[in-house]
Amino acid sequence: MSKNTTTTRAQESTNAIERLYITMRHLFNRGFYKPTGVSGESLKNALLQLRPEIYGTIAEEKTELNGLVYVLERLPQGIEQCKYINLTSDEGYGKSHIDPIVPPKRRRNCYRIDEEQMNIEITRGRSDIYDILTHLTFLFIESQKICERVLIEETQKTIRDWQKLEAAVNAKELSQANRETTLIHTANILGRSFEETMVYYEKFATAENPERFLEIIYWLGKLAIEEELTDEKRVITFSTLLRERLGHHIHGDRWANTIKKVFKDRGLLNRPIHIVSANMHSVMNSLFARKALKKQFPKGEALKIYEALSASGSSDLRNKVETMAKKNGMISIDDVSGTNIDVQIFDLAKLGDDACCYEFSKEITEVQKPVIFVMDYAFGEQAYESIDELLKPYDDQKNGAIYLNIASISIMGKAGILEGGKGDLMIPSAHIFEGTADNYPFENELCAADFEGHGLKVFEGTMVTVLGTSLQNKDILKFFHQSTWNVIGLEMEGVHYQKAIQSASKIRKSIGEDVKVRYAYYASDNPLETGSTLASGGLGTTGVKPTYLITDKILTQIFNS
């Protein structure tokens, strides 16, 4: 006789993630789907079973407002009003009369084609598609909740609260009294208190549109109600060009060739090149800020300087540092390839006297002085595409293939931590790929001892590369953390970088097998702690100290290599 076996929440959640990704791939290959159709219901049910931490109370009747803030910061403004959402490749919309809409927290070009349609350009690979479809599924779930609360069963009528909200949204202007009355009605629709609703009203308000929150709730409900009453379904489509181009490294190839041509034109191809994946300010500021701003900060207190540079009103200070950097060998390459990965090149042979905050050994010659290549953060699978193309030899029409002299590759980034809090550090010894048995151990040139004594907790162990941060829940993360996998954190790019580095160094031999690799992350959130997920807000100045500490350790090793 067989014994009944019960699955754990972690196993159920893993299964839900697998179903989500299989369904997404199927829908992409098919070319379209209806969110309230059979395929859309499959996505919705899997997400409700998973109940990711970022989406809070998604599985409850009340509307999830924290998750709504998180999602709408990553989707184009006005998407809640669109029945038709079309995911496209870079198909030349930038040359039309339509201005792109760029979400504040995710760099992607979106175009409102007309009142009913939003086109979203996908130039960063499958991870971008997964990210968008997951967020859209969340929106459709919340939209349906509103519909169910306001539509009276077995009739085509709506409750009084909805009628009052509709009247307020259609009004030209609201007085304070009318606004508060409308928010009381809206709170009832959402299943939230008036006090909570006021907080989110203010979070969504902009100078141009103070009533944005009311409009978002209205349009989410309106489209769901129309769907219920008229059977006119919302539709998500994937353009033919997107389906043809995805996975062919079109944008990564264009990006890498632009960069290698700059290297060739500047005579840098044979110099030692150190690749650093980081933001567009920490390396430049670490190299030059203390020297450039010595009048403003005579004591040279590094952390105070970096915090001042990070402040929103410090454009004059930032301009001084950038001016000094450009005078001392920095080349900026703004992205035109569609990858949204900007680049800085630092030719350290062009450093003037007393310009840089780091020093070389006196024995090093000009030819031996390295070049630091800083690339902005990639997104998920895009990390493989970009680094894979960059590490290939430069195809010079006169001299044939020219191999780049890659000395090291350093990856610095934000990640979710499973023990500790925001700003603490993670130093990985291996990456494992979520949903597979694929694992990538490597020798990290950085270690926990490098970061001790700075008032931050430092954890060393395995990092898991997840398919999407918005699909993580506590059950899966507890399993990773408490099992023999010894996972200390989660991020989205590590495996993809390591795949490209290993194939280039060990199989293709396009770079040396002895290439040095450095990985270090600082915690943006702790998804195992309630109130500490990515949806709880940014790091603020908490991120300044770990960012510059990691940057300093990377630069110190480069200058001493």
Side-chain angles (χ1 to χ4, degrees):
M1 291 178 65
S2 62
K3 294 182 180 179
N4 290 331
T5 57
T6 56
T7 56
T8 65
R9 271 289 298 147
Q11 289 170 326
E12 289 173 0
S13 300
T14 301
N15 180 257
I17 289 176
E18 190 175 347
R19 281 190 287 118
L20 274 163
Y21 280 101
I22 289 171
T23 305
M24 286 179 191
R25 287 202 174 211
H26 161 70
L27 297 176
F28 174 74
N29 290 329
R30 178 182 170 194
F32 75 97
Y33 78 99
K34 297 175 182 178
T36 54
V38 175
S39 300
E41 285 294 315
S42 176
L43 284 180
K44 186 181 94 170
N45 292 336
L47 199 62
L48 286 170
Q49 183 181 18
L50 184 61
R51 300 195 296 275
E53 298 307 308
I54 280 174
Y55 296 152
T57 58
I58 187 174
E60 298 178 21
E61 282 186 24
K62 60 185 177 183
T63 301
E64 169 51 38
L65 296 176
N66 222 19
L68 192 63
V69 173
Y70 180 83
V71 163
L72 290 180
E73 285 179 336
R74 288 154 178 80
L75 291 174
Q77 189 168 338
I79 195 163
E80 70 280 354
Q81 301 173 9
C82 296
K83 286 183 180 179
Y84 306 100
I85 297 166
N86 186 21
L87 274 58
T88 74
S89 180
D90 179 0
E91 299 177 20
Y93 300 116
K95 295 177 181 177
S96 72
H97 70 284
I98 306 168
D99 293 327
I101 305 168
V102 181
K105 295 289 180 74
R106 193 73 85 223
R107 289 186 299 173
R108 47 173 72 108
N109 288 334
C110 311
Y111 298 89
R112 184 77 178 263
I113 303 302
D114 53 40
E115 288 184 358
E116 294 186 311
Q117 182 174 334
M118 182 75 75
N119 282 14
I120 304 176
E121 273 187 1
I122 304 294
T123 58
R124 300 193 290 178
R126 287 189 182 90
S127 295
D128 221 10
I129 295 174
Y130 298 154
D131 190 58
I132 289 166
L133 292 187
T134 309
H135 292 334
L136 288 176
T137 303
F138 167 85
L139 274 190
F140 295 133
I141 290 171
E142 297 304 317
S143 173
Q144 195 61 35
K145 282 185 194 176
I146 295 169
C147 173
E148 288 170 0
R149 289 181 73 92
V150 304
L151 199 58
I152 300 169
E153 281 186 46
E154 298 179 5
T155 73
Q156 294 194 356
K157 295 180 180 179
T158 55
I159 62 173
R160 182 170 177 272
D161 292 304
W162 180 258
Q163 293 163 19
K164 293 294 182 181
L165 173 61
E166 186 171 35
V169 168
N170 291 326
K172 289 184 179 179
E173 194 173 339
L174 291 179
S175 67
Q176 182 65 21
N178 285 340
R179 182 179 298 112
E180 289 182 359
T181 303
T182 305
L183 284 169
I184 290 170
H185 290 299
T186 305
N188 193 41
I189 292 168
L190 301 177
R192 295 282 184 175
S193 70
F194 171 70
E195 189 177 18
E196 277 182 298
T197 308
M198 276 292 293
V199 169
Y200 287 95
Y201 171 85
E202 289 167 5
K203 282 188 179 182
F204 279 103
T206 63
E208 302 80 28
N209 186 7
E211 314 302 340
R212 183 169 172 241
F213 175 70
L214 297 177
E215 291 179 7
I216 287 168
I217 300 304
Y218 170 71
W219 279 100
L220 284 174
K222 183 178 189 291
L223 293 189
I225 292 167
E226 285 179 0
E227 215 165 36
E228 188 72 25
L229 298 180
T230 67
D231 209 35
E232 280 189 30
K233 304 290 187 186
R234 286 170 283 187
V235 181
I236 294 175
T237 53
F238 307 89
S239 78
T240 303
L241 269 180
L242 176 63
R243 287 187 286 150
E244 285 176 1
R245 289 175 174 177
L246 194 74
H248 293 293
H249 293 199
I250 289 168
H251 300 287
D253 179 61
R254 194 185 301 160
W255 175 81
N257 283 334
T258 301
I259 290 156
K260 284 184 271 195
K261 187 175 186 308
V262 172
F263 275 118
K264 169 71 166 50
D265 294 343
R266 305 268 178 157
L268 303 176
L269 281 175
N270 295 316
R271 296 263 297 284
I273 298 169
H274 296 265
I275 297 171
V276 181
S277 172
N279 51 59
M280 287 288 100
H281 56 78
S282 61
V283 172
M284 178 178 69
N285 290 344
S286 296
L287 288 171
F288 300 108
R290 280 171 287 163
K291 301 283 188 179
L293 303 177
K294 58 186 176 184
K295 286 183 180 178
Q296 290 82 359
F297 298 89
K299 293 182 180 178
E301 296 168 287
L303 188 58
K304 284 188 177 180
I305 294 172
Y306 300 144
E307 286 178 347
L309 286 165
S310 301
S312 57
S314 298
S315 55
D316 288 345
L317 294 179
R318 289 193 287 270
N319 289 338
K320 285 184 179 180
V321 178
E322 188 173 351
T323 300
M324 177 173 265
K326 286 179 177 176
K327 286 180 180 177
N328 289 273
M330 186 183 86
I331 307 158
S332 292
I333 306 176
D334 293 328
D335 178 61
V336 291
S337 67
T339 60
N340 282 309
I341 301 176
D342 293 335
V343 162
Q344 292 168 336
I345 298 169
F346 296 89
D347 182 355
L348 299 184
K350 293 190 175 176
L351 293 177
D353 293 337
D354 199 36
C356 183
C357 303
Y358 295 82
E359 291 183 359
F360 288 114
S361 161
K362 291 180 180 178
E363 288 78 34
I364 192 168
T365 64
E366 293 298 298
V367 179
Q368 293 172 319
K369 285 184 178 177
V371 175
I372 298 177
F373 169 82
V374 181
M375 57 181 283
D376 208 348
Y377 298 119
F379 186 72
E381 286 187 20
Q382 186 193 33
Y384 175 77
E385 175 177 335
S386 55
I387 289 290
D388 184 58
E389 292 298 329
L390 186 64
L391 298 182
K392 289 178 181 177
Y394 175 63
D395 187 13
D396 185 13
Q397 293 180 346
K398 291 182 180 179
N399 303 311
I402 302 174
Y403 290 82
L404 278 68
N405 182 11
I406 306 294
S408 75
I409 301 171
S410 302
I411 312 297
M412 178 187 82
K414 292 184 289 188
I417 198 167
L418 301 184
E419 186 180 340
K422 289 185 177 184
D424 288 336
L425 301 175
M426 291 156 280
I427 313 300
S429 54
H431 285 104
I432 59 174
F433 197 16
E434 179 185 43
T436 72
D438 297 353
N439 54 85
Y440 297 84
F442 54 89
E443 190 173 329
N444 196 341
E445 294 295 313
L446 299 171
C447 65
D450 293 331
F451 300 93
E452 289 173 357
H454 294 277
L456 298 172
K457 292 180 181 177
V458 189
F459 300 90
E460 201 162 4
T462 307
M463 299 280 287
V464 60
T465 297
V466 297
L467 294 162
T469 53
S470 56
L471 290 181
Q472 302 312 303
N473 69 10
K474 287 183 180 178
D475 305 292
I476 292 177
L477 298 177
K478 279 179 182 174
F479 166 76
F480 276 132
H481 184 47
Q482 295 169 2
S483 71
T484 52
W485 284 111
N486 185 32
V487 169
I488 57 171
L490 62 148
E491 48 74 55
M492 282 185 64
E493 290 81 29
V495 158
H496 304 299
Y497 280 126
Q498 200 56 32
K499 275 198 297 188
I501 294 166
Q502 288 187 10
S503 63
S505 61
K506 300 183 184 304
I507 300 171
R508 294 181 171 183
K509 309 294 184 184
S510 55
I511 63 173
E513 281 195 57
D514 59 347
V515 62
K516 295 184 185 302
V517 178
R518 304 180 189 92
Y519 283 91
Y521 300 91
Y522 59 95
S524 57
D525 64 298
N526 185 333
L528 291 180
E529 288 184 6
T530 302
S532 294
T533 68
L534 281 171
S536 66
L539 278 164
T541 55
T542 308
V544 174
K545 185 175 182 178
T547 297
Y548 284 93
L549 183 57
I550 294 170
T551 307
D552 175 66
K553 298 302 177 185
I554 290 170
L555 290 176
T556 299
Q557 287 195 8
I558 289 172
F559 272 78
N560 292 338
S561 62

